[in-house]
Amino acid sequence: MKHTIFVIMVLVLSSAVLPAFSADITHNFHTKFTSSPQTLTITQNNKIGNSTNDGFTYTCGEKAEFGYDHVYGTKICIKLLNSNDYFTVSPAIDDLATVSVMYISKTKDCTACTNIKVYISSDGSTWGSPLPASRVSYHTGFVTAIIPKGKYFIKILNSNGSNDLSITTVVYTPVNCNCNTYIPE
């Protein structure tokens, strides 16, 4: 009996010191737009997308817009087909650990699209430079950025229009702990 109580206490106490990650917030634009009830509304000539079930707003800049993907023409996405096309995400997200962006592209040399740049802003209008390469990992079909501890607005930009992109999904991973993420240099 003492052994069982000891094991239970160790498990309870060890779970208290592990970082407490919240559930991912996944925005698959096609799924949200076609769900019933619909949880993504698109307005203002396909430039604004409101996620009605969690309050996120996507605002497209330059020639970016919501529409059917340019590769298969079957999924609602955010199209970043030209250089400097971008979208912003508001409101500011508190304690965001990572943001992952899933994309499709017609461009064969875009197997790891390093032209996808991730920006953060504390006020939603001053963006500065994109996150450095040490915080962003590029893979075929998705990009993941590690966000410094804080409360930030997010901006995703296509820096090279010859690598056309259709953004299909964005995944936000918040962390609810009083800790700092170690990022090796």
Side-chain angles (χ1 to χ4, degrees):
M1 180 70 174
K2 284 184 181 181
H3 181 66
T4 305
I5 293 173
F6 176 75
V7 170
I8 291 171
M9 291 300 291
V10 168
L11 291 173
V12 169
L13 291 174
S14 66
S15 67
V17 296
L18 296 174
F21 285 93
S22 297
D24 287 350
I25 301 165
T26 301
H27 286 181
N28 176 306
F29 300 117
H30 186 74
T31 301
K32 289 178 77 55
F33 187 75
T34 59
S35 66
S36 181
Q38 185 179 32
T39 58
L40 176 68
T41 59
I42 300 171
T43 60
Q44 297 190 13
N45 294 324
N46 299 329
K47 293 289 198 178
I48 305 288
N50 290 301
S51 178
T52 58
N53 62 331
D54 56 17
F56 283 77
T57 297
Y58 292 85
T59 304
C60 298
E62 297 294 323
K63 294 181 180 177
E65 66 179 358
F66 281 90
Y68 284 100
D69 71 86
H70 70 291
V71 178
Y72 307 107
T74 58
K75 296 190 183 288
I76 297 293
C77 63
I78 298 177
K79 299 190 294 186
L80 306 177
L81 304 181
N82 306 288
S83 294
N84 299 317
D85 282 357
Y86 68 90
F87 65 90
T88 60
V89 183
S90 60
I93 305 168
D94 200 11
D95 292 328
L96 184 63
T98 63
V99 60
S100 296
V101 179
M102 284 64 163
Y103 66 87
I104 54 176
S105 176
K106 284 184 184 176
T107 309
K108 296 203 186 309
D109 66 346
C110 197
T111 54
C113 280
T114 58
N115 57 296
I116 297 174
K117 303 300 179 190
V118 180
Y119 294 78
I120 57 175
S121 170
S122 57
D123 64 7
S125 61
T126 308
W127 294 100
S129 299
L131 290 175
S134 63
R135 288 192 171 269
V136 182
S137 58
Y138 295 94
H139 308 278
T140 301
F142 72 99
V143 172
T144 299
I146 299 170
I147 308 298
K149 188 169 175 60
K151 184 174 185 172
Y152 299 107
F153 295 87
I154 304 294
K155 176 179 175 180
I156 308 297
L157 178 133
N158 181 0
S159 66
N160 181 352
S162 64
N163 289 334
D164 51 7
L165 302 168
S166 287
I167 307 300
T168 60
T169 306
V170 181
V171 179
Y172 307 96
T173 304
V175 62
N176 290 329
C177 73
N178 195 12
C179 56
N180 292 315
T181 304
Y182 172 72
I183 301 167
E185 294 295 323

